[in-house]
Amino acid sequence: MSGKFKLGLLPSLGIGIAAGVLLGLLVPANVMGVLHSIKGVLGSIIFFAVPLVIFGFIAPAICNLKNNAGKMLGVFLGLSYVSAVGASLFSAIAGYILIPFLHVSSTVEGLKDIPTTAFVLDIPPLMPVMTALVMAILVGISVIWTKASTVEKVLNEFQAMVLEIVNRIIVPILPFFIATTFAELAYSGSLTVQLPVFLKIIVIVIVGHFIWMTLLYLIGGLVSKKNPLEVVKHYGPAYTTAIGTMSSAATLPVALRCAHKSKVLPAEIADFAIPLGATTHLCGSVLTETFFCLVISQLLYGTLPSIGTMVLFSVLFGVFAVGAPGVPGGTVMASLGLVISVLGFDQTGTGLLIAIFALQDSFGTACNVTGDGALALILRGIFYNTDGTPKEIKS
């Protein structure tokens, strides 16, 4: 035995949820007021970090594009974006159709009011989320144009710093933030009323994952003129590993091994597409979060977002998904600013989103990883002939 025992993120969040529910059901009003104050402080810290995460990951990612195969890189990033946007729109359509039948209703009537906050510590972010996104894009592009190697090095170091902030500060406080969120929901009475709905929507999104993966592999088969089963049949170990790790990056070695077993994926395609997909193709996570956003909007705010709002959300979400880190909870963390600015979620809404997302994050990651094989198959069809020889691509 070496090193001290470290509880994983999912068990920590599960304990946080359970503790929060118990506290919400048992504590008196004055204690609930303190918990509400703690939630406000933790929420301020998390939301302060959101623009840093956006800038810290997207700007260096753009700078590093020049180090990869140009045309193939552009095509793969485009495929990742289209898959993410398509998954989000598919999920939104399913949400508009299914949510009315799930009996998700606003539970404002008859609920307890949360006690007045004991103290307030407001920590405003350095910049709005959209400012961070635009700044990241402009800085990244300008570094490539000017070949500013020093700035590129600084951005890469800043990315490492932000990742440490996420791993050492944001992730450890998430269970406590979620515990206070669920304490409020349990105290007010809304959680016990809507618990069956949460279980239903988790099953629905997992079914949605398999539908979307099936669609991606069918497209891959059509574009490559190869049997997609020759790829997907090897992905069982990668799917299982992703369920356990909740991280596309951590699953990468297994995913590469699975892709190399396929007879229809050239080794150079697998070596290029699978590692890139681990950080840019997050269709399962996007599908999940979009559906959950609709459910939470109906649950907490009494209405679904307008269709126009969801289309805007999906189009922008694709950008955030391509730039999100391939770590547990990376997608939802990178998109929190978008959820707040476009959908208008408050701290309760975002806390509930993080918690429910975490409950199925392993399945969303498994969908992401398995979907990478489909994009690799599409890439093979675009850049390779059916006999396995590279196509002549005009510049």
Side-chain angles (χ1 to χ4, degrees), residues 317-363:
F317 198 3
V319 177
F320 282 73
V322 171
V327 297
T331 306
V332 72
M333 283 301 301
S335 66
L336 278 185
L338 190 62
V339 172
I340 296 167
S341 60
V342 176
L343 300 183
F345 277 28
D346 57 14
Q347 286 193 5
T348 300
T350 52
L352 187 56
L353 175 62
I354 293 171
I356 304 177
F357 186 90
L359 292 177
Q360 64 69 62
D361 192 16
S362 55
F363 293 98

Side-chain angles (χ1 to χ4, degrees), residues 9-330:
L9 178 61
L10 184 59
S12 298
L13 294 177
I15 292 173
I17 292 172
V21 172
L22 288 175
L23 287 171
L25 294 175
L26 299 175
V27 300
N30 58 341
V31 177
M32 193 65 241
V34 174
L35 293 176
H36 184 58
S37 299
I38 294 173
K39 175 194 169 187
V41 174
L42 297 179
S44 291
I45 295 173
I46 292 171
F47 299 141
F48 176 86
V50 170
L52 300 180
V53 172
I54 293 170
F55 181 82
F57 281 96
I58 293 181
I62 293 174
C63 295
N64 293 330
L65 296 186
K66 66 180 187 299
N67 299 323
N68 296 298
K71 289 184 180 297
M72 194 177 292
L73 173 67
V75 170
F76 192 89
L77 291 177
L79 291 173
S80 296
Y81 175 77
V82 171
S83 177
V85 174
S88 183
L89 292 174
F90 166 71
S91 183
I93 292 171
Y96 284 117
I97 294 172
L98 296 177
I99 289 175
F101 296 98
L102 295 178
H103 305 295
V104 179
S105 59
S106 177
T107 56
V108 174
E109 297 181 3
L111 299 183
K112 290 183 182 178
D113 292 328
I114 302 299
T116 305
T117 302
F119 58 89
V120 177
L121 178 61
D122 188 23
I123 309 174
L126 293 175
M127 66 185 81
V129 60
M130 294 309 296
T131 302
L133 175 61
V134 174
M135 184 177 177
I137 293 173
L138 294 180
V139 169
I141 293 175
S142 63
V143 167
I144 294 176
W145 289 340
T146 60
K147 297 181 173 62
S149 57
T150 302
V151 176
E152 181 177 357
K153 182 179 178 182
V154 170
L155 289 174
N156 286 325
E157 291 183 351
F158 182 70
Q159 182 185 51
M161 292 166 59
V162 172
L163 185 58
E164 287 301 304
I165 291 173
V166 171
N167 289 334
R168 294 174 181 265
I169 299 177
I170 304 302
V171 171
I173 69 175
L174 275 177
F176 298 97
F177 177 64
I178 288 171
T180 55
T181 297
F182 269 78
E184 287 188 358
L185 294 171
Y187 180 86
S188 66
S190 62
L191 180 64
T192 52
V193 173
Q194 297 294 347
L195 181 60
V197 174
F198 295 156
L199 299 178
K200 289 178 185 177
I201 62 176
I202 289 174
V203 173
I204 289 173
V205 296
I206 292 175
V207 173
H209 293 161
F210 283 96
I211 294 174
W212 191 253
M213 285 189 291
T214 300
L215 178 61
L216 288 179
Y217 274 97
L218 287 175
I219 294 174
L222 290 173
V223 174
S224 65
K225 298 180 176 60
K226 297 294 180 179
N227 185 357
L229 291 177
E230 179 51 40
V231 178
V232 73
K233 73 180 184 181
H234 300 291
Y235 259 86
Y239 188 91
T240 305
T241 302
I243 290 177
T245 63
M246 293 189 298
S247 169
S248 299
T251 310
L252 181 56
V254 178
L256 270 171
R257 193 178 305 120
C258 294
H260 276 288
K261 289 182 179 179
S262 173
K263 298 178 181 178
V264 300
L265 287 181
E268 55 271 27
I269 288 286
D271 290 338
F272 176 86
I274 304 306
L276 187 58
T279 56
T280 64
H281 184 223
L282 305 174
C283 60
S285 300
V286 168
L287 187 153
T288 299
E289 185 174 336
T290 300
F291 196 87
F292 285 173
C293 283
L294 287 167
V295 173
I296 292 171
S297 180
Q298 179 67 44
L299 171 65
L300 295 183
Y301 313 121
T303 183
L304 295 175
S306 68
I307 294 176
T309 297
M310 288 309 300
V311 170
L312 174 63
F313 176 79
S314 297
V315 171
L316 294 176
F317 198 3
V319 177
F320 282 73
V322 171
V327 297

